[in-house]
Amino acid sequence: QVQLVESGGGLVQTGESLRLSCAASGSISRLNVMGWYRQAPGKQRELVATMSSDGNANYAESVKGRFTISRDNAKNTVYLQMNSLKPEDTAVYYCNVAQMGIFPPQSSWGQGTQVTVSS
């Protein structure tokens, strides 16, 4: 089992920045994708940004140019730098690691961290 510990959420004003961190512990297969998802009230959980172990990143259109995902493979840690935050970014943000190199494939989730952007 993988344990994900998130930090960095909080309450900010429009235009400000936050940096989320997620540290994964436990055995993680080499082929994996780490990333962030979010769920706003009344909405489906959506992908925010992911990065595979080889460095390929994927972003939701709504955050391109504002958010940057990065990871430290040695530390099994993924970060999300969120700039120019907008009220529509308000959501619970969940860290995720999807392991493709094990059977059965495993997807692990953090507990979620609240990001609130005031208007």
Side-chain angles (χ1 to χ4, degrees):
Q1 296 184 10
V2 176
Q3 180 72 34
L4 302 176
V5 180
E6 300 159 321
S7 62
L11 173 64
V12 297
Q13 297 180 8
T14 298
E16 295 183 340
S17 299
L18 283 173
R19 181 176 180 264
L20 305 182
S21 299
C22 174
S25 61
S27 181
I28 301 177
S29 61
R30 183 179 61 85
L31 298 178
N32 65 79
V33 178
M34 299 185 72
W36 298 90
Y37 295 72
R38 67 186 182 187
Q39 187 167 21
K43 295 185 177 181
Q44 301 294 316
R45 186 173 299 186
E46 65 176 352
L47 180 148
V48 178
T50 63
M51 181 171 283
S52 61
S53 48
D54 62 4
N56 290 324
N58 183 37
Y59 294 92
E61 287 294 328
S62 60
V63 307
K64 285 183 177 178
R66 299 188 298 120
F67 292 8
T68 302
I69 189 169
S70 61
R71 59 185 289 172
D72 185 335
N73 289 339
K75 296 181 178 180
N76 284 331
T77 300
V78 63
Y79 307 92
L80 185 68
Q81 179 67 44
M82 304 185 293
N83 298 327
S84 301
L85 283 163
K86 301 184 290 186
E88 66 185 63
D89 296 317
T90 295
V92 177
Y93 284 69
Y94 297 91
C95 179
N96 174 266
V97 57
Q99 300 183 76
M100 301 294 100
I102 60 173
F103 184 84
Q106 182 180 4
S107 182
S108 302
W109 295 90
Q111 79 285 356
T113 183
Q114 178 70 47
V115 172
T116 302
V117 185
S118 63
S119 60

